[in-house]
Amino acid sequence: NSLKELSKTTIKDLKSIKGIGDSKAIELLAAFEIGRRIVQEEQNGKERAEYGKKILKGLSEQLTNEFGKGFR
């Protein structure tokens, strides 16, 4: 079962899982929808976001400036 398949499930399907009631099923579907929109609108349909590379590069530069190369 992949996350993509799980995100296409219904409230009824989710509620059939032990321990998941109305509220949790709705919460899960809302989270799936938010994730879908992020992929569609922010990532232009790409499964992985490119901005993470920029964040890591910037963080690396900041830490190097503050603590020097190969900081510990």
Side-chain angles (χ1 to χ4, degrees), residues 3 6 9 15-17 20 36 39-40 43 47 49 51 54 56 60 62-63:
L3 286 176
L6 188 58
T9 194
K15 286 175 50 177
S16 72
I17 300 169
I20 297 180
R36 186 191 68 76
V39 169
Q40 293 258 295
Q43 297 174 200
E47 296 221 0
Y51 57 83
K54 292 178 187 174
L56 287 175
S60 175
Q62 287 177 343
L63 291 171

Side-chain angles (χ1 to χ4, degrees), residues 15-71:
K15 286 175 50 177
S16 72
I17 300 169
K18 185 178 179 179
I20 297 180
D22 290 336
S23 296
K24 183 57 74 176
I26 292 168
E27 183 180 341
L28 288 167
L29 289 179
F32 294 146
E33 178 61 17
I34 290 168
R36 186 191 68 76
R37 289 184 184 195
I38 288 171
V39 169
Q40 293 258 295
E41 296 173 21
E42 300 295 327
Q43 297 174 200
N44 298 317
K46 295 178 186 172
E47 296 221 0
R48 297 188 62 85
E50 294 293 322
Y51 57 83
K53 292 177 186 176
K54 292 178 187 174
I55 291 171
L56 287 175
K57 185 175 186 217
L59 178 59
S60 175
E61 289 172 1
Q62 287 177 343
L63 291 171
T64 299
N65 288 339
E66 188 171 340
F67 299 106
K69 191 169 182 164
F71 60 89

Side-chain angles (χ1 to χ4, degrees), residues 4-20:
K4 282 185 181 181
E5 291 172 13
L6 188 58
S7 71
K8 295 177 184 176
T9 194
T10 64
I11 290 176
K12 183 179 177 182
D13 292 335
L14 288 170
K15 286 175 50 177
S16 72
I17 300 169
K18 185 178 179 179
I20 297 180

